[in-house]
Amino acid sequence: MIKTPASLLMAAALTVPSLAMSDTLELPIDATLDVQVIETLTLTAQEPAHDDLIIHPVAGGSASHSLPEYCVVVGNARLDGERIRLTTQALTCIETDGSESEIYSGELSAAAYGADGDFGIPACQGGECRLPPQQTFQLRLASDLAIEQQDNPAAEINAQRRQGEGTANPTPAETGPADD
């Protein structure tokens, strides 16, 4: 069995600021996040926009911050010349720690930037712009993010179950042999 020194674990945890398990999910203005689309996004002159685009965070990139592993971001994409202009409007995250979980849901004002630092993602070729799910890009926050933790009904039900309260999973009544 290999044991990892606590100081090494602490250093790894502090390398990328995280939002884990607190009452408020917070990020500063201009924070960057590595993300990917869930499904291939294709924009053309005939279809120059896509609303309610689903995006999720990814780890291991060069972003300044990270989101909890289980998050979805909703945004809109517009064709602008040879770039895809992508902006966001909402975020929902679930952060877990063992059997405990916290839910955050609210507004997110961010925009996608290319590796060149310009607004929009350069993803166009021959009049068609494509952004595949495996392509990571960065969102940059346009304002501070501060979303309060939401009520978690499932956690409350589970707590009641652990305390023996409630009847979420009642035991079927025993019955005798059937009469002939």
Side-chain angles (χ1 to χ4, degrees), residues 16-17 21 23 26 28 31 45 51 58-59 68 87 100 111 117 144 171:
V16 175
M21 303 304 283
D23 291 338
E26 295 181 273
D51 293 332
V58 294
T87 57
E100 301 299 318
D144 291 333
T171 305

Side-chain angles (χ1 to χ4, degrees), residues 154-173:
E156 294 168 14
I157 291 169
N158 288 336
Q160 289 175 354
R161 285 181 182 165
R162 285 190 292 271
Q163 294 173 4
E165 299 172 13
T167 57
N169 289 323
T171 305

Side-chain angles (χ1 to χ4, degrees), residues 20-143:
M21 303 304 283
S22 66
D23 291 338
T24 305
L25 184 116
E26 295 181 273
L27 288 174
I29 189 170
D30 289 330
T32 57
L33 304 167
D34 287 328
V35 296
Q36 296 173 337
V37 293
I38 300 289
E39 295 180 346
T40 300
L41 170 66
T42 303
L43 298 177
T44 64
Q46 293 75 31
E47 293 184 40
H50 184 89
D51 293 332
D52 300 325
L53 183 66
I54 305 296
I55 305 162
H56 69 97
V58 294
S62 61
S64 65
H65 291 76
S66 64
L67 289 171
E69 181 179 357
Y70 304 106
C71 282
V72 291
V73 176
V74 179
N76 299 317
R78 303 279 179 266
L79 184 59
D80 185 15
E82 292 294 309
R83 296 180 91 87
I84 296 174
R85 301 270 176 134
L86 195 144
T87 57
T88 65
Q89 68 243 20
L91 161 83
T92 298
C93 295
I94 300 173
E95 180 64 40
T96 60
D97 184 16
S99 64
E100 301 299 318
S101 61
E102 296 180 350
I103 300 171
Y104 304 92
S105 187
E107 295 180 11
L108 173 67
S109 178
Y113 286 80
D116 58 6
D118 288 341
F119 179 50
I121 305 164
C124 302
Q125 189 173 26
E128 180 179 88
C129 297
R130 296 188 64 134
L131 188 57
Q134 63 273 16
Q135 183 177 340
T136 300
F137 59 94
Q138 285 193 344
L139 292 176
R140 184 179 308 152
L141 272 64
S143 61

